[in-house]
Amino acid sequence: MPAQQPAVSVIMPVLNEERHLRDSVRHILGQEYGGEMEVVIALGPSTDRTDEIAAELVRETASDRARVHTVPNPTGRTPAALNAAIEASRHPIVVRVDGHGMLSPNYIATAVRLLEETGAQNVGGIMHAEGENPWEDAVAAAMTSRIGVGNAAFHTGGKAGPADTVYLGVFRREALEKAGGYNVEFIRAQDWELNFRIREAGGLIWFSPELKVQYRPRPSVRALAKQYKDYGRWRHVVARYHSGSINLRYLAAPTAVCAIAAGVVVGAAVTPWAFVLPAGYLAAITAGSVPAGKGLSLKARLRIPVALATMHVCWGFGFLTSPRSLAAKVIASRRPSARRDPAEL
């Protein structure tokens, strides 16, 4: 007789997710998983119908095996929402899902198996971006191409193995508790920062292409620009908070922004030959968008260079302009190192 699968808690931080929340929860409740399950939604101060939809889900699942619960997150910040949901949940396996993420049918079963097989503290897989219109299709293509995100396995795929970080994550509860949960100061990059602390404490983070989550891209250029500016801004905070955590991949976009800016300034003030730098960048992303857009509509393919440029430039600009004062505030909140023996505290 097969062993009973462990109970899992699915935690969801949501804010203004009326467009995707019901579908996201449907993908959770429809999992091919035999163990007990609960879904805890942390509700930020939404201005759309998110709270109403969440209340409907609570009522609809009140008598089901897998019930939906909600907890308040008045700050609206993702790490605070995640911590509130973790505290309100009760099972030994914690599955993080976003309000616009759609789990593949065997995602939880596969993740639980991988936790057992690898001994990892956290396992995750591919952020499989899929759009619902030409612009979102273009962003999805950019987010899953090497020219868009470099060699990040959770975007582009790759072999299973140890990783610095993974998309979302399926955790052992004891790993989250040992790490002290998410650092609420990290409005962005909280996953990378948490996984760094888990690794620092000797834990294993495991990537597997078997795990796939459909992701809905930002619906406009403006929203994508803000998203990637915040990514760059907070990745620099992580680099200042955890010295030695940066690598060359993260410096590519800031370097490109500096080169483009220098080319424009020098080209306008000194010699037009300097315009070769921004022109070369535009040529590179235009050429790179051709294979990235294979199989998409013409409208989507034409938008891929815009998506790539928005991602690169805004990430790089956010990284370069990330204020030291922000990092100083975060560093001031630093908790004792996870390496320390609890008996020493």
Side-chain angles (χ1 to χ4, degrees):
M1 183 176 180
Q4 176 68 35
Q5 292 178 297
V8 301
S9 297
V10 181
I11 59 172
M12 301 181 69
V14 300
L15 179 69
N16 294 326
E17 289 287 1
E18 70 171 358
R19 183 180 173 193
H20 299 301
L21 178 58
R22 177 171 288 279
D23 200 23
S24 182
V25 171
R26 180 178 62 81
H27 280 76
I28 296 168
L29 300 179
Q31 287 289 294
E32 298 170 359
Y33 190 70
E36 186 178 351
M37 185 189 306
E38 65 175 351
V39 181
V40 182
I41 303 175
L43 295 171
S46 296
T47 57
D48 61 8
R49 294 184 59 253
T50 296
D51 287 12
E52 181 182 336
I53 294 169
E56 292 172 357
L57 291 167
V58 170
R59 290 194 298 270
E60 292 166 8
T61 62
S63 59
D64 293 352
R65 179 182 65 87
R67 296 178 59 187
V68 175
H69 309 271
T70 62
V71 292
N73 173 36
T75 70
R77 293 184 174 186
T78 299
L82 291 165
N83 285 344
I86 291 168
E87 185 176 354
S89 65
R90 57 196 174 92
H91 294 319
I93 305 297
V94 179
V95 182
R96 177 183 171 176
V97 181
D98 283 343
H100 46 269
M102 314 295 163
L103 301 185
S104 52
N106 62 347
Y107 180 89
I108 293 177
T110 302
V112 170
R113 172 176 59 79
L114 289 171
L115 284 172
E116 179 64 27
E117 290 177 355
T118 64
Q121 304 302 303
N122 179 22
V123 300
I126 295 174
M127 178 183 181
H128 184 65
E130 289 187 355
E132 297 180 322
N133 55 52
W135 165 250
E136 292 180 2
D137 286 341
V139 176
M143 293 180 70
T144 54
S145 69
R146 292 192 179 277
I147 192 172
V149 295
N151 63 349
F154 69 86
H155 281 296
T156 61
K159 294 182 179 179
D164 289 343
T165 191
V166 290
Y167 180 54
L168 301 179
V170 177
F171 300 83
R172 299 179 189 271
R173 179 176 292 275
E174 61 262 29
L176 291 172
E177 292 176 348
K178 181 179 180 181
Y182 289 85
N183 188 325
V184 296
E185 298 294 335
F186 282 88
I187 298 175
R188 292 282 185 267
Q190 66 273 157
D191 296 298
W192 205 103
E193 195 277 333
L194 172 62
N195 284 318
F196 182 93
R197 284 187 284 120
I198 292 175
R199 289 187 290 109
E200 188 180 41
L204 174 66
I205 310 299
W206 188 266
F207 166 81
S208 173
E210 291 183 76
L211 299 172
K212 184 180 292 186
V213 181
Q214 291 181 4
Y215 168 86
R216 297 292 186 247
R218 294 297 192 270
S220 67
V221 174
R222 182 177 181 178
L224 182 69
K226 183 182 185 304
Q227 178 187 24
Y228 272 79
K229 179 186 174 183
D230 287 346
Y231 281 170
R233 176 187 179 98
W234 284 93
R235 188 61 188 84
H236 204 165
V237 174
V238 173
R240 287 168 170 157
Y241 186 81
H242 294 298
S243 60
S245 66
I246 201 71
N247 59 43
L248 292 178
R249 179 167 70 87
Y250 294 110
L251 298 177
T255 300
V257 169
C258 290
I260 293 167
V264 171
V265 172
V266 174
V270 181
T271 172
W273 284 105
F275 284 118
V276 168
L277 290 173
Y281 170 75
L282 291 174
I285 62 172
T286 300
S289 70
V290 174
K294 186 177 180 181
L296 297 181
S297 67
L298 178 60
K299 287 183 177 180
R301 294 199 303 270
L302 292 174
R303 289 166 170 77
I304 294 175
V306 178
L308 288 170
T310 301
M311 292 162 56
H312 294 161
V313 172
C314 292
W315 201 101
F317 180 77
F319 187 94
L320 292 168
T321 60
S322 182
R324 287 187 175 274
S325 59
L326 181 58
K329 176 185 176 184
V330 173
I331 290 170
S333 72
R334 189 192 300 269
R335 301 172 181 177
S337 171
R339 289 182 181 276
R340 293 179 62 185
D341 187 334
E344 300 174 359
L345 299 179

